[in-house]
Amino acid sequence: MPNDCISYQKSGYFSKLIIDYLAEKNELKPLYNHFPTLANFKFQLAEKQANYNSANRKVLVKALEEQYRNIAVSEETQFNIQKLSESKTFTITTGHQLNLFTGPLYFLYKIVSVINLCKTLQATYPEYHFVPVYWMATEDHDFEEINYFHFKNVKIKWDNNSTGPVGRLATSGLEEVYEVFAKDLGVGRYADELKKLFEESYLKHSNLAEATRYLANALFGDTGLVILDGDDPKLKQLFAPFIEQELVAQTSFQKVSETNNNYLSSYDIQVNPRAINLFYIEDTIRERIIFDDNRYFVNQTDLSFSPEELRQLLASHPERFSPNVILRPLYQEVILPNLCYIGGGGEIAYWLQLKSNFEAFNIAFPMLLLRNSVLLTTEKQVQKADKLGLRWADLFSDQQTLFDQKTKEYSLFNLDFTAQKAHLQKQFEALRLMAEQTDKSFAGAVKAQEVKQIKGLENLEKKLLKAERKVYAEKLERIIQLQNELFPNQSLQERRNNFSEFYLESGKTLMEKLYQNLDPLSPNFTIITL
């Protein structure tokens, strides 16, 4: 079995910003508080305890009790909800969209990362209590991002119209999706479990928020996971003063823009702030709030408000204001006694834009931890890799690079002409010196001849490589076939495949192995054989 480790930095699947963050580059240190190490949590604990408004705990617990009122709650989750009222209880949080049937595999990895980090922290800091939280992105309105999942090579899609927050979207039409999925699953013990899970989640709950809560609770409830819906009037009331500041002072635009310009000019910017980073929401609408000519307008509608009218609306209906991607993290940290946010590379990238904004609002900035990334394999695939002499690093390689590298390894000849090209360049260096000492007009002719001969060697190298590929075509095809199985569309498995594909074969063993193997503080890909 291949036993080499693949670090996130060397995997080829993360941006320069994330690679530099993981390397703790000095130029990025102003963008985060404490780097996520076990020892650093003691500093984060002290800061959050001093900064967090303890009065929010009572409101948070009451809101969670109401959100869970129509669902069977495990003793572990109920215990954690009640513990949130105590001053020494803190959360570790991840967030995710309401993807149909969890969407890609990394939904599981995010939540298991949160659960396992809480276990590690509990053992290290036993005087505190740590609660894993999944924040449901119920207020998102991009339905096209969440209305499907891939099962094997089939895209199972929910055709519906949605213009408002997806959490409030009725689950009508999912009966047809269930029929398609059930047929593709076939028969068998685990197939029946998956059918029942889909049916209980989506066909017996009226909206997508309730369906997703049921699904996540069914998968993780026995671990004590707490599932939170931010689309809640009580919780929005806690955030109302920050909403008002955003409407009046437009703080976020100024602070995030400064961060982008001062620290992130050499990186790809994940998100750009707007003048006002809030939406107006109702059941079928979520549109930007725009300030112009001393009035507030709701984009794509006839709604408009004077400053005083909008303040009155905020006081009476805070639930009609929804933070965008810039302000949602602030909302989360206002209402939760949170220490650390666990997210994917894209999420951590935009969180790194936000620290100065948190400081402007006087809210403690959480630690930022890259979620675990996982490659799931079968015993058969591992045996194939062994037989082909592959390391995991080989399989993570770019496909063309892997193709060429293995051709050179298998060939009986040396297909790398680097030495010959270096020797040729040395000879031409001598010719250049001779030309300079005799007739400098020859220098151009010498350079042209050098370029021609180097190009000739490169062409010969390519032809020999192509010829050798034909000799080892069958073996190379097996390598590429294995890589395609593990990296669909030459991308990470976790970004495409749905958990049901693996649960169908392994059942609860899948979840057990995730709990056993995922170490949130490890900087390496986790490779699990099912």
Side-chain angles (χ1 to χ4, degrees):
M1 175 183 294
N3 59 8
D4 54 315
C5 294
I6 308 300
S7 70
Y8 296 141
Q9 296 97 315
K10 293 183 179 180
S11 68
Y13 285 98
F14 290 93
S15 69
K16 181 178 183 294
L17 177 59
I18 296 303
I19 290 170
D20 287 353
Y21 173 64
L22 294 174
E24 299 181 66
K25 289 289 183 69
N26 285 332
E27 55 266 35
L28 293 181
K29 288 186 177 179
L31 304 185
Y32 59 92
N33 194 7
H34 301 294
F35 193 77
T37 65
L38 197 55
N40 279 346
F41 272 94
K42 64 183 176 184
F43 305 115
Q44 192 73 31
L45 277 160
E47 288 183 22
K48 188 66 178 184
Q49 194 162 29
N51 178 264
Y52 183 66
N53 186 345
S54 59
N56 291 1
R57 290 182 180 274
K58 183 177 180 180
V59 178
L60 174 62
V61 171
K62 181 66 175 175
L64 284 167
E65 288 174 339
E66 290 185 6
Q67 289 182 18
Y68 271 91
R69 67 184 180 276
N70 294 324
I71 192 171
V73 187
S74 70
E75 290 183 8
E76 292 81 1
T77 295
Q78 186 61 52
F79 177 74
N80 278 342
I81 290 173
Q82 297 308 313
K83 290 291 283 187
L84 284 168
S85 64
E86 300 178 8
S87 63
K88 287 196 171 185
T89 296
F90 295 89
T91 62
I92 304 296
T93 303
T94 192
H96 197 68
Q97 295 172 295
L98 307 190
N99 294 71
L100 185 61
F101 212 49
T102 77
L105 272 162
Y106 63 76
F107 172 85
L108 269 62
Y109 306 157
K110 278 184 168 183
I111 295 179
V112 174
S113 295
V114 166
I115 292 165
N116 281 1
L117 182 56
C118 283
K119 292 177 182 177
T120 299
L121 291 172
Q122 198 65 65
T124 308
Y125 301 99
E127 66 272 30
Y128 297 96
H129 187 70
F130 301 92
V131 175
V133 171
Y134 160 44
W135 179 290
M136 295 194 298
T138 54
E139 295 179 61
D140 282 3
H141 61 272
D142 197 338
F143 181 66
E144 296 301 317
E145 287 187 0
I146 67 165
N147 68 338
Y148 67 93
F149 65 95
H150 290 99
F151 177 72
K152 298 184 177 179
N153 293 319
V154 178
K155 183 177 182 178
I156 297 177
K157 184 178 179 182
W158 177 22
D159 290 317
N160 202 338
N161 293 315
S162 174
T163 54
V166 295
R168 304 183 191 182
L169 181 63
T171 52
S172 56
L174 281 168
E175 298 85 357
E176 291 84 355
V177 175
Y178 172 76
E179 294 299 327
V180 172
F181 184 42
K183 183 178 180 181
D184 287 337
L185 282 169
V187 296
R189 174 188 169 188
Y190 299 138
D192 290 342
E193 286 184 20
L194 289 166
K195 291 173 190 175
K196 183 178 179 182
L197 182 60
F198 190 101
E199 184 178 12
E200 295 286 336
S201 300
Y202 293 101
L203 307 191
K204 297 187 178 181
H205 292 89
S206 61
N207 63 47
L208 194 54
E210 292 178 0
T212 304
R213 181 187 298 279
Y214 180 91
L215 176 60
N217 187 64
L219 290 171
F220 299 104
D222 58 356
T223 69
L225 179 72
V226 172
I227 303 161
L228 180 61
D229 183 354
D231 188 8
D232 185 296
K234 290 184 175 62
L235 300 179
K236 287 286 178 68
Q237 189 64 59
L238 297 179
F239 194 55
F242 302 88
I243 294 175
E244 184 170 2
Q245 182 174 338
E246 176 71 9
L247 289 167
V248 174
Q250 300 180 12
T251 307
S252 302
F253 179 78
Q254 176 190 342
K255 293 300 179 180
V256 177
S257 295
E258 288 174 359
T259 294
N260 291 350
N261 294 331
N262 294 339
Y263 298 102
L264 296 170
S265 58
S266 63
Y267 300 97
D268 292 332
I269 299 296
Q270 192 71 18
V271 295
N272 287 297
R274 296 187 181 277
I276 295 176
N277 294 280
L278 292 163
F279 291 95
Y280 177 91
I281 63 169
E282 293 185 17
D283 286 349
T284 59
I285 179 176
R286 187 180 188 239
E287 290 288 348
R288 290 190 295 118
I289 297 174
I290 301 168
F291 185 66
D292 184 46
D293 196 22
N294 204 35
R295 285 191 71 80
Y296 293 92
F297 298 87
V298 178
N299 195 40
Q300 303 293 331
T301 75
D302 295 327
L303 294 171
S304 73
F305 308 90
S306 69
E308 180 57 31
E309 288 170 339
L310 202 65
R311 276 194 290 270
Q312 291 175 2
L313 182 66
L314 177 59
S316 59
H317 293 287
E319 71 278 5
R320 294 189 188 176
F321 296 82
S322 174
N324 73 355
V325 66
I326 294 289
L327 274 188
R328 191 212 66 79
L330 184 73
Y331 177 36
Q332 170 189 299
E333 298 301 312
V334 166
I335 67 174
L336 287 175
N338 195 51
L339 302 175
C340 177
Y341 184 79
I342 297 181
E347 290 174 284
I348 300 302
Y350 74 71
W351 274 85
L352 287 169
Q353 298 175 241
L354 305 178
K355 182 170 177 281
S356 65
N357 197 43
F358 272 69
E359 292 169 346
F361 283 99
N362 193 31
I363 297 297
F365 195 62
M367 299 168 85
L368 304 177
L369 181 59
L370 189 66
R371 65 167 173 80
N372 283 116
S373 279
V374 181
L375 177 64
L376 299 177
T377 70
T378 65
E379 287 286 357
K380 187 176 179 181
Q381 288 169 333
V382 170
Q383 289 169 6
K384 284 182 183 178
D386 280 340
K387 190 173 181 180
L388 292 166
L390 296 170
R391 300 171 303 141
W392 292 123
D394 295 327
L395 289 164
F396 273 83
S397 298
D398 169 77
Q399 192 160 97
Q400 189 59 55
T401 302
L402 174 60
F403 210 74
D404 292 345
Q405 174 190 327
K406 288 303 168 182
T407 301
K408 292 174 182 178
E409 284 183 18
Y410 296 148
S411 177
L412 300 176
F413 311 104
N414 183 2
L415 302 180
D416 187 346
F417 284 9
T418 301
Q420 288 87 344
K421 284 184 277 189
H423 179 68
L424 190 61
Q425 287 168 335
K426 189 174 181 180
Q427 288 182 319
F428 274 98
E429 179 64 26
L431 288 172
R432 272 196 299 274
L433 290 173
M434 187 184 302
E436 288 175 3
Q437 294 171 10
T438 56
D439 187 344
K440 292 185 178 181
S441 64
F442 289 154
V446 170
K447 181 62 179 175
Q449 191 64 29
E450 179 186 6
V451 170
K452 181 180 179 180
Q453 295 212 24
I454 291 292
K455 188 172 181 62
L457 275 177
E458 289 174 346
N459 288 334
L460 182 57
E461 188 177 32
K462 289 177 182 177
K463 288 179 180 178
L464 285 173
L465 187 61
K466 184 176 181 181
E468 287 295 271
R469 283 188 197 135
K470 293 180 181 178
V471 175
Y472 299 101
E474 184 179 342
K475 197 171 185 180
L476 291 168
E477 180 59 33
R478 292 202 300 272
I479 290 175
I480 298 306
Q481 183 181 5
L482 177 59
Q483 191 189 48
N484 286 340
E485 290 175 7
L486 296 172
F487 296 84
N489 293 338
Q490 298 181 47
S491 183
L492 289 178
Q493 174 194 80
E494 63 186 34
R495 296 177 185 173
R496 178 179 173 86
N497 298 45
N498 184 261
F499 85 98
S500 58
E501 183 175 334
F502 300 90
Y503 196 98
L504 183 63
E505 302 298 327
S506 304
K508 289 185 171 60
T509 299
L510 169 63
M511 303 301 296
E512 291 167 0
K513 291 211 170 187
L514 292 179
Y515 291 128
Q516 291 166 7
N517 288 282
L518 266 59
D519 175 4
L521 298 175
S522 169
N524 299 318
F525 264 84
T526 305
I527 298 170
I528 297 176
T529 304
L530 296 173

